[in-house]
Amino acid sequence: MQTKAKWKVIVSKIFRETVDVKRFILSSPSGAPLPAFGGGSHITTWVRDGNTVWERQYSLINDAAQTGHYEIAVKLQPSSRGGSRFWHEAVHEGMELDISYPKNHFPLSFSAKHHLFYAAGIGITPFLSMMAELKRKGGSFELHYAARSKEQCAFYDFLRQQYGDCVRFYFSQGEQPQRMLPDGMKDQPVGTHVYFCGPHTMVAQFREAAQSCGYIPEKIHYELFQAPVQTDPQPFDVELKKSGKLLRVEKDQSLLDALLDAGVRVPCSCRAGGCGTCAIRVLAGEVEHHDACLTEEEKRENIMIACVSRGKGKLLLDL
Amino acid sequence: MNVRKYLFFFDALGQNAARSRINECARANTAVEAHELTDEAFPDRSALLQQVRKCLSAQKIGTFLHVYAAWELLQPIRQMAAEIGFAEKEMELVGFGEKAKNVFCPGCQKMSTAAAGDAVLICRHCGLKLSVSSHYSRRLDAYLGYAVIPYNGKESINRRS
Amino acid sequence: MNSVTARFPFPLKEDYYRYSNNSVLLDPPVAIEITPEYQEEIELKRRLLAENHSQFYQSLSHTLEAQWEVVQLLLEQLAEYYPEQFDLVRKGDFWTFTNRLTKETERFIFGRAADLPCEPLDFVGRHVQEDLILMGHRDGDLYLDAGQLCFPSNWSLAFDLGMTFVELHSPIPRFSDNNLDKKVRDFIMRIEPGTPWVRRNWGLNAGRRLDTTPGTFHIWGQERGKVTEENAGELVHMRVEVQKLFRLPRSYFILFTIHTHLISLKELSQNREWAARLLAVLTEIPDFISEYKGFHPYKDSVIRYLSRVLDEARE
């Protein structure tokens, strides 16, 4: 869903955490407080690089009780198409950027009595604000954190100092390599919830292991860092099967508007890809989904949201 | 759910159903732990519940809770299990014996008891005539009563039950 | 056209009505609205809370953080959007809130419950006309965790407290058709901070009463039997709830503010388009909707009234 609400912030300080991880402090230029957030939240950032704007999501890593600023950690991805590379090589102190309101798709469970965190690499980031919140509220938790080595382990000193025995580290390189195994999830007290964040393969492996340990899906939480989304609208053609009408949707026009302009009655409400009212069935053609309400199953059934989604080339619609 | 252990609590009323279910679970080759809640073993309700709580607190992930007992025991056990961290999908509680239906009066917010099959009753606190609806509150373990008023010579209830 | 009609939030956009997710983005993103009815509605609300507190205010214990977020949101917005009537001064955590309409000043340390005369949600609700409902977003579902509901459209906050969204709506016939109840719940759970939404609910009541509680149905429900074509203009009122949905960023609760508006059929009919649209909707509306909303017994009287008004207008 296109969230129009944005904040202007400046990079007030940059810290190097490891050879490929940097930490950025973001503050409001006016000094006004930024919106509050809960542990596990992330923001979308938009940084300008000439004619390109890099849109990337990063977890908020500071304690939510500190309302004056946000902190994020960016890892330089070896296969970076430019986003993380730009952050590392070009973003400097004093630079302005836009950010979204904080969103939370990875919250702490309300009913968990004990929180068991598993982080690999830069997957540590969402857990930082979560642990700060739990510590403040007196919650029970444990973190298991895998990295290549102590030097490449972002926030190693901070974690040892803040959380002591609640953190176990696993370094895969060095003299005594240790692998972070899912075994520790077994035989935990019944009120335990498990949380995973890291590369897709690690998350998939731990999710499966958690299920065989007896965790029900409601007690398994995970966050994957998604690939960025392309947004560069192209015109496309539409044929309506029932009426035989042919339309062209221009690049600055939504499918919904093109249909309404042509006199086709499509129920609609929010015009922002959120409410689901303008869902229509596609009979043929490739759909680019930009909505925030359809399930994967609905997309497989060829439903699309007319106000924000588009087609590639030509679509045949059940209208 | 990949169950690692079935945990049973049952009393005299629920024992037949419980034993039959226990046998099914044992055949599936999963660990089974069963406790009979007898009057002899427990001098009073609170001692009984305390023991149940102690047992529940020791449970590990992968435990599925079965309760086959008198209706009055279900609500307190369900609540304790939730406090300890059992999710709804990790427990099944089956009630036996007489179940009094609690009816919530929207006028005075107090409870009255309806016998099974009663469609209408008078709130015993404020006297409002209530029709028993099917709207149920798990928190209160009660059904909502809808006020009844005379209307056009017939009685009209507030909403369809 | 009088001013009540001019500013009434008429809810019907089509010539027919069915349950749907009729939410749109809220712009400007203001949760509350001060209308000329402020004084009388605030007085009524406060009297109801004083006479029968547990009927109109309920909260579960874990909602305090969210309640304080509501205090912050609403006091900030009152001061920003209605600066002549409200004032908010903050010196660190020391807050001073002035309500010039009620001539009250409240001083408190933000977050310190003991400084307020009652719970934070209860306190801030007494300064706005809206009813306030807090839905907790926890463990993959939405729960009614707290509320100040003085003007309910025939539902009981005390009974419904703690229910999930789907459970709350289970008495509405056919609201679960095509999983609409789950779709609306999922939509609400996707609402994000900074992006509030608004929707409208409507009914046709006999009588003009804001606090139509199920506990007093035996009193206000009597009016339903008195409607005729002749008195429909004055007795029947359209009741619209403008509901605004905000995501509270810290607790991740959803705040519903519900502003209830009433207009007599006579006043509403001053707008001929609205009268015609309402007539079309009522002529077509299925029984299961008119019965649940409660106006089925006098629907025909209202239809005859509206038809007559429109006929007379054409002459």
Side-chain angles (χ1 to χ4, degrees):
Chain A
M1 181 154 59
Q2 309 303 320
T3 306
K4 295 160 194 167
K6 284 184 185 175
W7 287 76
K8 270 217 174 328
V9 294
I10 54 165
V11 179
S12 47
K13 201 131 173 65
I14 304 178
F15 296 91
R16 179 168 285 288
E17 294 294 326
T18 67
V19 67
D20 60 358
V21 174
K22 274 187 175 181
R23 175 164 60 105
F24 299 82
I25 317 282
L26 308 175
S27 321
S28 163
S30 62
L34 293 168
F37 63 96
S41 293
H42 68 276
I43 49 172
T44 304
T45 62
W46 291 274
V47 281
R48 189 162 285 288
D49 174 11
N51 284 334
T52 315
V53 173
W54 299 107
E55 177 184 311
R56 293 291 183 270
Q57 256 96 277
Y58 296 111
S59 299
L60 293 175
I61 62 174
N62 52 312
D63 184 349
Q66 309 161 311
T67 52
H69 64 277
Y70 288 161
E71 289 184 35
I72 60 173
V74 180
K75 178 183 160 108
L76 176 62
Q77 300 291 358
S79 56
S80 171
R81 288 192 297 111
S84 64
R85 186 168 301 282
F86 187 79
W87 273 93
H88 270 253
E89 293 169 7
V91 171
H92 55 86
E93 286 175 12
M95 186 158 164
E96 260 194 16
L97 63 140
D98 286 330
I99 62 170
S100 69
Y101 272 76
K103 295 166 258 212
N104 201 344
H105 301 168
F106 194 39
L108 287 164
S109 159
F110 177 80
S111 53
K113 309 301 165 192
H114 179 60
H115 307 259
L116 195 42
F117 300 132
Y118 286 89
I122 199 61
I124 184 62
T125 49
F127 297 125
L128 293 169
S129 61
M130 286 159 114
M131 291 188 292
E133 183 170 318
L134 283 173
K135 184 170 175 179
R136 225 182 327 114
K137 292 180 174 168
S140 165
F141 63 92
E142 244 175 271
L143 167 70
H144 296 266
Y145 181 14
R148 288 211 187 85
S149 64
K150 186 157 51 159
E151 294 70 36
Q152 293 180 62
C153 180
F155 308 107
Y156 175 81
D157 290 324
F158 170 78
L159 289 166
R160 290 229 64 175
Q161 183 198 47
Q162 275 287 103
Y163 304 114
D165 288 341
C166 292
V167 188
R168 278 272 302 269
F169 297 92
Y170 305 81
F171 301 130
S172 55
Q173 291 168 3
E175 293 163 358
Q176 287 170 322
Q178 275 200 297
R179 285 187 56 221
M180 184 170 75
L181 298 169
D183 297 26
M185 293 192 285
K186 207 156 72 148
D187 293 331
Q188 290 284 338
V190 65
T192 305
H193 284 231
V194 288
Y195 302 73
F196 313 126
C197 187
H200 288 225
T201 43
M202 170 259 180
V203 170
Q205 179 203 6
F206 274 75
R207 282 177 67 197
E208 199 180 311
Q211 300 236 33
S212 51
C213 287
Y215 290 86
I216 57 172
E218 286 78 358
K219 294 186 168 176
I220 302 173
H221 314 275
Y222 63 96
E223 178 149 89
L224 293 167
F225 295 147
Q226 305 284 31
V229 171
Q230 282 274 56
T231 49
D232 181 20
Q234 297 298 314
F236 61 99
D237 295 309
V238 168
E239 183 186 335
L240 307 182
K241 174 123 202 252
K242 290 179 183 164
S243 66
K245 272 193 182 147
L246 292 169
L247 312 171
R248 183 159 179 81
V249 183
E250 301 301 339
K251 67 174 181 212
D252 55 356
Q253 192 186 26
S254 72
L255 170 59
L256 176 66
D257 283 336
L259 290 169
L260 293 174
D261 284 350
V264 182
R265 210 164 115 170
V266 180
C268 63
S269 184
C270 77
R271 288 166 179 271
C275 73
T277 308
C278 67
I280 54 183
R281 188 175 294 280
V282 180
L283 297 168
E286 195 185 328
V287 177
E288 282 175 7
H289 295 281
H290 295 296
D291 69 278
C293 55
L294 294 179
T295 59
E296 287 311 313
E297 196 187 322
E298 285 171 313
K299 288 179 190 174
R300 275 197 296 275
E301 286 168 14
N302 297 316
I303 310 285
M304 76 180 282
I305 297 296
C307 63
V308 291
S309 297
R310 305 183 70 77
K312 269 207 178 106
K314 181 157 174 191
L315 291 179
L316 177 66
L317 303 178
D318 191 18
L319 287 172
Chain B
M1 176 184 169
N2 191 5
V3 179
R4 301 186 72 81
K5 173 165 82 169
Y6 289 100
L7 176 63
F8 284 84
F9 290 104
F10 61 92
D11 66 4
L13 288 172
Q15 63 177 318
N16 289 336
R19 292 195 200 282
S20 134
R21 189 87 184 86
I22 288 171
N23 289 334
E24 271 173 39
C25 295
R27 274 198 291 276
N29 243 337
T30 311
V32 175
E33 183 184 319
H35 300 274
E36 189 172 351
L37 309 171
T38 59
D39 289 332
E40 296 84 49
F42 300 102
D44 58 59
R45 171 66 49 84
S46 71
L48 183 153
L49 290 175
Q50 216 173 54
Q51 273 301 106
V52 171
R53 180 184 282 276
K54 197 162 155 202
C55 178
L56 290 175
S57 303
Q59 297 312 308
K60 305 289 182 206
I61 271 290
T63 306
F64 190 92
L65 171 66
H66 276 290
V67 179
Y68 290 84
W71 283 104
E72 315 88 75
L73 282 178
L74 262 47
Q75 187 80 333
I77 295 181
R78 185 194 299 275
Q79 195 163 323
M80 283 193 301
E83 280 167 25
I84 286 158
F86 281 86
E88 290 280 316
K89 290 190 180 151
E90 290 170 322
M91 45 181 163
E92 187 186 57
L93 294 86
V94 184
F96 292 83
E98 289 262 330
K99 183 172 206 267
K101 215 176 201 184
N102 290 321
V103 179
F104 179 85
C105 173
C108 64
Q109 290 124 64
K110 296 200 173 90
M111 300 292 184
S112 298
T113 316
D118 269 4
V120 177
L121 58 86
I122 307 289
C123 171
R124 61 190 168 98
H125 304 278
C126 72
L128 197 59
K129 187 167 182 179
L130 300 171
S131 163
V132 183
S133 80
S134 57
H135 198 194
Y136 177 74
S137 158
R138 284 178 300 146
R139 181 180 68 95
L140 299 171
D141 187 24
Y143 292 82
L144 182 61
Y146 283 135
V148 177
I149 51 165
Y151 169 72
N152 277 352
K154 306 181 284 197
E155 284 196 329
S156 166
I157 52 161
N158 182 12
R159 303 257 193 265
R160 289 251 179 105
S161 299
Chain C
M1 185 180 303
N2 76 14
S3 91
V4 171
T5 312
R7 50 185 175 83
F8 189 76
F10 189 71
L12 305 169
K13 296 208 150 33
E14 307 264 8
D15 285 342
Y16 67 94
Y17 176 79
R18 295 292 187 281
Y19 297 131
S20 72
N21 180 5
N22 60 338
S23 307
V24 298
L25 288 167
L26 177 62
D27 187 24
V30 198
I32 40 73
E33 190 191 355
I34 309 293
T35 66
E37 292 83 10
Y38 183 85
Q39 294 284 17
E40 71 177 84
E41 288 179 8
I42 294 294
E43 263 173 48
L44 172 60
K45 185 189 272 219
R46 292 182 181 193
R47 179 167 60 74
L48 292 169
L49 285 162
E51 285 172 358
N52 200 345
H53 192 249
S54 63
Q55 166 100 250
F56 301 105
Y57 183 81
Q58 292 278 341
S59 67
L60 294 176
S61 58
H62 63 273
T63 57
L64 271 184
E65 184 182 59
Q67 291 192 33
W68 280 108
E69 284 196 273
V70 177
V71 168
Q72 177 167 9
L73 175 71
L74 297 189
L75 295 189
E76 281 177 0
Q77 290 200 336
L78 284 171
E80 184 185 341
Y81 291 93
Y82 298 94
E84 278 165 39
Q85 296 96 320
F86 303 94
D87 190 50
L88 180 65
V89 176
R90 278 173 287 189
K91 292 193 166 76
D93 282 339
F94 287 84
W95 289 38
T96 306
F97 171 67
T98 308
N99 180 340
R100 296 195 186 91
L101 297 172
T102 60
K103 301 187 175 50
E104 289 166 328
T105 301
E106 202 75 48
R107 288 178 190 84
F108 55 94
I109 291 181
F110 188 85
R112 202 151 83 176
D115 285 1
L116 292 178
C118 49
E119 282 189 13
L121 185 71
D122 199 1
F123 152 69
V124 72
R126 290 160 194 253
H127 292 276
V128 297
Q129 291 161 263
E130 284 79 1
D131 283 317
L132 304 175
I133 297 290
L134 273 175
M135 301 287 291
H137 183 163
R138 44 191 173 85
D139 292 305
D141 212 334
L142 274 181
Y143 294 83
L144 174 51
D145 280 353
Q148 190 193 67
L149 184 73
C150 296
F151 310 141
S153 65
N154 206 8
W155 60 284
S156 166
L157 176 63
F159 184 72
D160 286 5
L161 187 72
M163 284 190 192
T164 65
F165 182 86
V166 167
E167 283 171 340
L168 285 170
H169 292 85
S170 62
I172 305 176
R174 303 187 52 178
F175 187 67
S176 56
D177 280 6
N178 297 317
N179 288 316
L180 179 62
D181 54 350
K182 297 202 174 91
K183 286 185 177 150
V184 174
R185 175 202 61 192
D186 292 348
F187 161 77
I188 296 170
M189 291 201 294
R190 284 190 306 267
I191 293 177
E192 301 199 323
T195 313
W197 294 72
V198 60
R199 58 180 302 272
R200 293 173 184 179
N201 234 6
W202 68 278
L204 278 180
N205 288 9
R208 188 190 183 90
R209 181 176 171 135
L210 281 167
D211 56 314
T212 44
T213 69
T216 50
F217 173 73
H218 55 292
I219 301 168
W220 54 266
Q222 306 264 15
E223 301 297 293
R224 291 179 177 180
K226 300 180 184 164
V227 179
T228 64
E229 184 196 328
E230 288 67 40
N231 68 20
E234 263 118 20
L235 187 54
V236 176
H237 289 74
M238 178 173 249
R239 180 192 168 103
V240 171
E241 288 177 2
V242 176
Q243 297 175 356
K244 297 175 178 171
L245 292 78
F246 281 72
R247 171 75 71 181
L248 300 172
R250 186 117 161 233
S251 60
Y252 233 60
F253 273 60
I254 296 281
L255 168 68
F256 278 73
T257 70
I258 307 174
H259 195 132
T260 303
H261 304 258
L262 285 170
I263 190 171
S264 68
L265 265 195
K266 185 171 173 193
E267 285 170 313
L268 184 145
S269 306
Q270 288 176 7
N271 182 321
R272 302 297 182 219
E273 251 183 64
W274 291 354
R277 171 143 299 161
L278 179 57
L279 175 59
V281 166
L282 292 179
T283 311
E284 196 275 345
I285 203 161
D287 286 352
F288 72 86
I289 296 184
S290 59
E291 279 166 355
Y292 182 74
K293 285 189 184 288
F295 61 78
H296 191 77
Y298 45 90
K299 188 182 72 163
D300 288 337
S301 298
V302 173
I303 285 175
R304 284 195 295 271
Y305 170 81
L306 290 170
S307 305
R308 179 163 53 81
V309 164
L310 288 166
D311 284 341
E312 285 169 6
R314 266 177 237 123
E315 284 150 17

